[in-house]
Amino acid sequence: MTDTSSSILTQLSKGNRINIGIALIIIVLGVVFAGELPQYGDHYGIWSVLPPLIAIVLAFWTQEVVSSLFVGIVLGGFISGNINIIDAYLLPSIGTENFALILLVYLWSLGGLIGIWTRTGGAERFADWAASKVVRGPKSAKFFTWMMGLIFHQGGTISTVLTGATVRPISDEQGVSHEESSYMVDSTASPAATVIPFNVWPLYIAGLLVGTIPLFETNQDVVSFFIQAIPFNFYGILALLMTLLFAWEMLPWIPSKKMREAIKRSRETGKLDRDGSEPMSSKELTEMDIPEDYNSGLIDFFGPIGTLLGVAIIPYIVTFYVMGNTEDPLLMIAEAFVLAVLAGMFIALAKGMELKTVMDGFVDGCKGVTIGAIVLALAVTLKEVAESVGTAEYVVALVGDAILPAFLPAILMGLCMLIAFAAGTSFGTYAVVFPVAMPLAWAILPDPFFITLCFGAVVGGSVFGDQCSPISDTTILSSLATGSDLMDHVKTQIPLALMAAGLGAGLYTLLVILFV
C-alpha cells in the first residue's frame, strides 16, 4: 500500500469506512443478482423495506448521513434490478421541477438571504430588538419560536425554513442549544399545519379520499371532515402542547437524555452544539462580516421577511378566502423567496453597501448550505427508491392482516409512523395509506365517530414519521435552518415525539373501547 492510499484510509472516519465497505459489497451483489429477486405484485417482500431501513440504521450507527443514504440507494438498485442508479434514480429525482424548486427556494434563496444578513447585520439587529421587546432568556426565546411556528403554519418545508430563519439569531443570542431550536422548529411545522387547516393539507387529502367511502362523496365533504376531525388529531395537538411546555421548561420530565445534556451544555458552557458535531450550516452562515461604514437597521431584516410573507401569504388569502378559489389557490413560494433575496440586496445597496460586498454575502450564504443540498438530493432519491421497490405497499400488506377492530386507530397510527419514518414523507404516506385505511375502517365499523378516530390517527401518525425521519426534507431543513447537526436533531427529538405519539395511541384505544 502506498503512503498516499494509507493516508487516505487513515483520514476516513470509521463511519465512512463501514459505509464504503457495505456499498462495495452491495454493488458486487447487485451485479451478480440484479433483477433475480421475486416480486409480489407491487413489492419485493422483506427486501422492500431494506433500502430506507439500512440507510436509517447506518445513519444512526455511523453518524454519517451522506454515505448512509447512498448505500440505501445502491441497495435499492440491487433489489429492483436497476444497477445504473444514476440513470434510474439520481437523475430522475434531482432533475425534477420539485427538486429544482427546493434547491432554488429552500437552499439557495435561504442560504443567500442569511448570507446577505451576515453583511447587513439585519438578523442580528432583529435579534437585539426582539430580545429587548419580547425575549428575556432561553425560555421566552423558545416560546417565540413556538409562536413563529404557529404563524408560519403552512407546514413542511415552508414552515421549517421561515421559522428557522426568523428565530435562529434570537435563539443563538439567548444561548438556546441548536438541538432545542431544531426540535421546536420541526415540531411546530407539520403538526401545526394539521391542527390549523388554513393551508393546502385538507385539499391534498381530499384529493386522495373522494369517493372512497359514502362519507366522502365530494372534495368539500373531505375538507369539512378534516376540520371536524382536528380535535382527534391527537399527535398534532400533543406535539404542539409538548413543545409549548418544553419552551417554558415546564415538562415534568424530558424523556430524551441527549436533549437534557444539550440543555445543560448550552446553559453552563454557552456551547450551542456538542463537541465533534457537524452542523448542517457552515461558518459562512454564522460569522458576521459587516462593513465598518454600514449602519444596520431593522429594515435589513423586516424588508426581506416582509416581502417574503407578503408575496407568499397575501395572494393565497385573497384567492382562497376572498375569491373562493379553493381548488387551486395562488401560493407564490418560489417568487416570494427570490424577491425576498432581491429585497435584501436592494436595501443594502440603497443604504450604501458596495455591490461586491452584497454579492460576496449572497455567495457565501449559498456555500453554507452545500451540505444540505447534497443530503437533500440523496434523501429525495431514496424516496424514489422506496417507491420503486414498494416499501409502503409491503408494510401495509404485512400489517393489514394483523389488525384487530378494537385497536384499529392505534394500529393505523403506528403503521403510518413506520411508513413515514422509512420513506421520509407524510404526503407520500397519506397517498399510500388513506385510500386503503378509510375503506378498511368503514368495512369494519361504518360509524362516523370511528372513522373520525381512524382519520385522525392516519393524519397524526404520518406527521410523526415525517418529522422524526433523518431522510425527511423537513428534518433536514430544520437542522439546516437552525444550524444543528442532523443526527443530533434526530436523536434528541425522537423520545419527545414518541411520548406524544404514545399518549395519542393510548387515547385512540381508550375512546374506541368506551364509545364505539
Side-chain angles (χ1 to χ4, degrees), residues 17-34 47 70-71 74-75 78:
R17 292 199 299 271
I18 293 172
N19 286 357
I20 290 173
I22 293 175
L24 290 175
I25 293 172
I26 290 173
I27 290 172
V28 173
L29 290 174
V31 172
V32 176
F33 298 106
W47 290 92
F70 183 74
V71 169
V74 173
L75 179 57
F78 157 52

Side-chain angles (χ1 to χ4, degrees), residues 236-292:
I237 294 171
L238 290 170
L240 293 179
L241 289 177
M242 282 191 62
T243 49
L244 176 60
L245 294 174
F246 179 83
W248 286 116
E249 300 181 2
M250 295 175 63
L251 280 177
W253 178 67
I254 298 176
S256 173
K257 179 181 178 182
K258 291 185 180 295
M259 182 66 85
R260 296 196 300 269
E261 292 173 349
I263 295 172
K264 182 179 179 181
R265 181 198 66 232
S266 63
R267 305 299 189 272
E268 294 181 357
T269 69
K271 293 181 179 179
L272 303 183
D273 298 288
R274 65 172 175 82
D275 294 335
S277 64
E278 297 180 2
M280 287 289 287
S281 57
S282 68
K283 63 181 182 181
E284 285 88 353
L285 299 182
T286 57
E287 292 184 352
M288 295 294 109
D289 189 14
I290 306 170
E292 293 182 0

Side-chain angles (χ1 to χ4, degrees), residues 181-340:
S181 295
S182 55
Y183 165 66
M184 294 291 302
V185 169
D186 210 354
S187 292
T188 54
S190 296
T194 60
V195 174
I196 308 174
F198 306 114
N199 47 57
V200 299
W201 289 59
L203 295 173
Y204 173 77
I205 292 175
L208 300 173
L209 288 180
V210 169
T212 55
I213 61 175
L215 293 178
F216 303 149
E217 294 183 357
T218 66
N219 276 4
Q220 190 56 47
D221 288 340
V222 183
V223 172
S224 298
F225 194 88
F226 183 104
I227 296 173
Q228 294 171 11
I230 287 175
F232 302 97
N233 175 13
F234 294 140
Y235 177 74
I237 294 171
L238 290 170
L240 293 179
L241 289 177
M242 282 191 62
T243 49
L244 176 60
L245 294 174
F246 179 83
W248 286 116
E249 300 181 2
M250 295 175 63
L251 280 177
W253 178 67
I254 298 176
S256 173
K257 179 181 178 182
K258 291 185 180 295
M259 182 66 85
R260 296 196 300 269
E261 292 173 349
I263 295 172
K264 182 179 179 181
R265 181 198 66 232
S266 63
R267 305 299 189 272
E268 294 181 357
T269 69
K271 293 181 179 179
L272 303 183
D273 298 288
R274 65 172 175 82
D275 294 335
S277 64
E278 297 180 2
M280 287 289 287
S281 57
S282 68
K283 63 181 182 181
E284 285 88 353
L285 299 182
T286 57
E287 292 184 352
M288 295 294 109
D289 189 14
I290 306 170
E292 293 182 0
D293 59 347
Y294 190 81
N295 183 24
S296 299
L298 288 175
I299 186 63
D300 292 302
F301 180 83
F302 283 115
I305 288 294
T307 300
L308 193 157
L309 296 180
V311 176
I313 294 178
I314 292 176
Y316 180 84
I317 293 175
V318 171
T319 56
F320 188 91
Y321 295 105
V322 178
M323 299 176 62
N325 183 10
T326 58
E327 296 295 329
D328 187 26
L330 187 60
L331 189 60
M332 303 173 64
I333 298 300
E335 294 85 351
F337 270 91
V338 172
L339 288 173

